[in-house]
Amino acid sequence: MRFAKRIISTGFAILLLCSFVLLTNNTSADFSYRVTSILMSDYKLNVQGWVEDVKPSVTKKQYEHATYTYYNYRSGKRSFRLITVEIDNGDVMYFAENHVTSEANRVSLRITAKDGNPQEIYSFLPGKPSAWQKLTEMPDSLNAPTYAEGEKLSYRIGKTEVYRPLGHTVFEEMPYYSPNVTVRKKSKDMEYEAVLPADSTSMSTNWGILSGPPLINWSEQKAYKKALDIEFDQDKKLRGDGAYTMIPKNYEPATETAFYRNPSNGEGLRANEFVSQPSMGKLFTDISTHLAYTAVAAQNEEGYWPTYPRSKWLNKEYRIGYAYMDNRRNADNATFLLRYLQQKPDSAVRQALNKWDSYLLRYIDRYNQQVDGRTISFIPDYVGHEGSRRTHTSLNHLAANMNYLLEAYLYDRDPAKKKAAEKLYAALEVTNQKWIRPDSNFYYALTPSFSPYPAEDYYKLTRDDLLHSQTLLVLLHGQRSKTLQYLIEQKEKWINAHPAPEVKFPEIKTP
C-alpha cells in the first residue's frame, strides 16, 4: 500500500483547540495544515518519489513556542528528511533535505496553497546591493526566494539549493545544478513543485514558510528593508539546524561558494527587533524562533557554541584546530537569546543561557590578573582544545562580552554578572591608551602583554560596540564613562578623516 494515500481525518473538537493543525498520520507523505480556517486546510505538503512507499520514522521536539517534527525516510542507502516547525503564532516552517547517497535519486516536494492566484508577489533579487523585485504575476518557474500574498494566505516559497558536503558544517553550494521550482496555477489553488536531487557527492535542500496574515508588511519601509537584510539567499542560508554564512577564505575546508554554520546568529539579532511588533509581519518572529531553538540544540556540553571549520590563521598562530570557541560569535548569540527570552519567555532558552553564563564566568575568572592593584580579566578572543596557545584580545570582542554581561545583569540583577562585567571594563580602563594608533584609529587587538597586534580594525563595528557599552553604563550608573568616551572620540576622528562611500538602500524594484 502506498503510504501517501493514507490520510486520516481530525475531529472537529480537536480542530478547535489550536490555531493550526496537521491533518495526517505519521506514515504518510501527505501533510495538510490550516492556518486560518477552523475546518478546512489551507496548505498541503506532499513528497513524491521513492519516499511514497516508505514509512518514515517520526520524532518530535516540543518547545514553548514551536513544535519540531522530523520525518526521516530511508530506503537502502537513500535518505530524505522533512522537518516541520509549527510555531505558536500559527505559522508553519518546512525544511526538506535529500541527503548524499550512492543511489542517485530525486524527491519532489509539492506545496499547495489553497488561495488562488496571489495578489502581491515579491522575489529576492541578488546583487550588491540586493533588492526586492515586485512581480505583476506569478511566473511559471522560480529560481529565487519568493513571497506571495493572496486573499487569505501569505507564504514564502524557497528555491532548491544543491550542495556538496565538505565536513565540519561546511557545504559548497553548486547553483548550476539547482532545478527551478515549477509553478502550476489552478482555479482555486497554487501549486509549487521543488525537485530535490541527490547523488554520491551532493545533496539538496528547500525551505519555506506557510502563513495566514502577511509575513512582511510591504507598505512599511522598515519591514521590507529588515526582511531584505535577513533574507537567506545570497551570502547566508537557512537550514533545519540553523543559519549558515559564507565561509572566510582562510578557513578550511572552504571554497568560494561554501557556507558554514555560524553560531553568532546575527540574523536572529536583527529579526528580533520586530518580534514585539506584529504589524511589521510574522516573518521576524518565525526566523527568531527557529534560530533560538536551533541554537539551543547546537550548544555543546561545555556551554558554548563551537565554530567547527578551522581557521588557517588561528591554527598557524596559536595551534587552534577545529571546533573552537570564538567569544564574539558566542556573545552575539547569547545576546540574541537574551533579547528573545525577554520577549518570548522560554525555559529551554533560559537553560541554554544559564549554561553559557556558567561557562563565561569560569572563562573570565580563568584570565584574572592584577594590574596596578586592580583585578582585570583580559580574555583571549579564541579558545582551542588542549595544546593550543593563548590568543590576542581584540577591542570589539572585549566590548561585546562586557555588553552581554551588562544586558544580562540589567535583566536578572545577578551580581556575578555585574562583577564579571566590571573586570572586563577594568581591562578596558587599564589598556585605554594602548588601543590608539598614531592616526587615531584602533589597533585591532593587543597581545596578552598589551602590545599592539598587527591587524586592521573594523571600520565602524568596534565604535558601535563602544557606543552600546556607553548606553548600558549610563543605564547602570547614570553617567557616561570617560574611558569609553575617549575611545569613541578617537575612533570617530579617524572615521571622519576616512569617509566611506555612501551605500543607498535599494527601494522595491517594479516592472
Side-chain angles (χ1 to χ4, degrees), residues 376-389:
I376 75 167
S377 181
F378 204 57
I379 53 174
D381 287 1
Y382 311 100
V383 177
H385 296 289
E386 186 176 353
S388 61
R389 293 194 293 259

Side-chain angles (χ1 to χ4, degrees), residues 11-201:
F12 177 76
I14 296 176
L15 283 168
L16 292 176
L17 291 177
C18 57
S19 61
F20 55 79
V21 68
L22 168 63
L23 303 173
T24 181
N25 61 10
N26 286 341
T27 63
S28 176
D30 290 319
F31 309 87
S32 296
Y33 294 91
R34 67 175 183 84
V35 296
T36 63
S37 170
I38 293 178
L39 291 174
M40 304 298 292
S41 65
D42 296 300
Y43 295 100
K44 180 180 178 181
L45 295 181
N46 172 259
V47 287
Q48 297 182 331
W50 61 267
V51 294
E52 294 177 89
D53 297 308
V54 175
K55 179 179 179 178
S57 65
V58 182
T59 58
K60 282 182 178 284
K61 180 62 177 178
Q62 179 75 51
Y63 296 102
E64 291 183 42
H65 302 296
T67 299
Y68 283 70
T69 306
Y70 302 86
Y71 300 90
N72 294 294
Y73 297 83
R74 294 184 183 277
S75 177
K77 295 182 179 180
R78 296 171 295 185
S79 175
F80 177 85
R81 169 180 276 191
L82 177 67
I83 305 170
T84 61
V85 186
E86 299 170 33
I87 301 173
D88 64 354
N89 65 4
D91 289 0
V92 179
M93 302 180 74
Y94 61 87
F95 297 88
E97 305 169 351
N98 198 7
H99 297 133
V100 169
T101 173
S102 59
E103 300 177 10
N105 71 94
R106 291 179 169 232
V107 174
S108 291
L109 171 68
R110 288 189 179 181
I111 305 101
T112 302
K114 301 181 179 181
D115 196 16
N117 202 34
Q119 300 165 347
E120 297 281 336
I121 307 164
Y122 298 86
S123 182
F124 179 77
L125 191 63
K128 293 184 179 181
S130 55
W132 293 116
Q133 175 77 56
K134 185 173 183 179
L135 307 179
T136 56
E137 63 178 349
M138 186 67 74
D140 294 332
S141 66
L142 302 173
N143 62 0
T146 301
Y147 291 80
E149 291 183 16
E151 292 184 3
K152 64 174 183 174
L153 301 181
S154 174
Y155 49 91
R156 178 196 191 274
I157 300 296
K159 70 177 186 181
T160 297
E161 295 168 342
V162 177
Y163 296 98
R164 181 169 68 97
L166 303 180
H168 305 283
T169 76
V170 180
F171 293 83
E172 178 187 21
E173 186 178 19
M174 300 187 290
Y176 36 85
Y177 287 129
S178 298
N180 288 359
V181 174
T182 301
V183 180
R184 300 184 183 94
K185 305 168 189 175
K186 300 183 179 180
S187 58
K188 296 182 179 180
D189 300 340
M190 291 293 296
E191 184 179 274
Y192 305 88
E193 182 176 3
V195 176
L196 288 85
D199 59 26
S200 60
T201 61

Side-chain angles (χ1 to χ4, degrees), residues 329-342:
R329 289 173 182 151
N330 276 260
D332 286 350
N333 186 44
T335 301
F336 157 60
L337 291 176
L338 177 64
R339 293 177 185 176
Y340 180 84
L341 180 70
Q342 293 177 61

Side-chain angles (χ1 to χ4, degrees), residues 272-318:
N272 202 58
E273 296 175 20
F274 288 161
V275 167
S276 295
Q277 300 183 50
S279 63
M280 294 293 184
K282 299 172 74 176
L283 171 73
F284 309 103
T285 296
D286 296 345
I287 295 299
S288 293
T289 298
H290 178 58
L291 291 180
Y293 291 136
T294 54
V296 168
Q299 188 176 31
N300 70 10
E301 286 300 316
E302 292 185 62
Y304 66 87
W305 292 271
T307 296
Y308 284 97
R310 184 171 68 179
S311 163
K312 295 179 182 179
W313 160 53
L314 294 179
N315 183 247
K316 180 180 179 180
E317 192 114 344
Y318 304 112

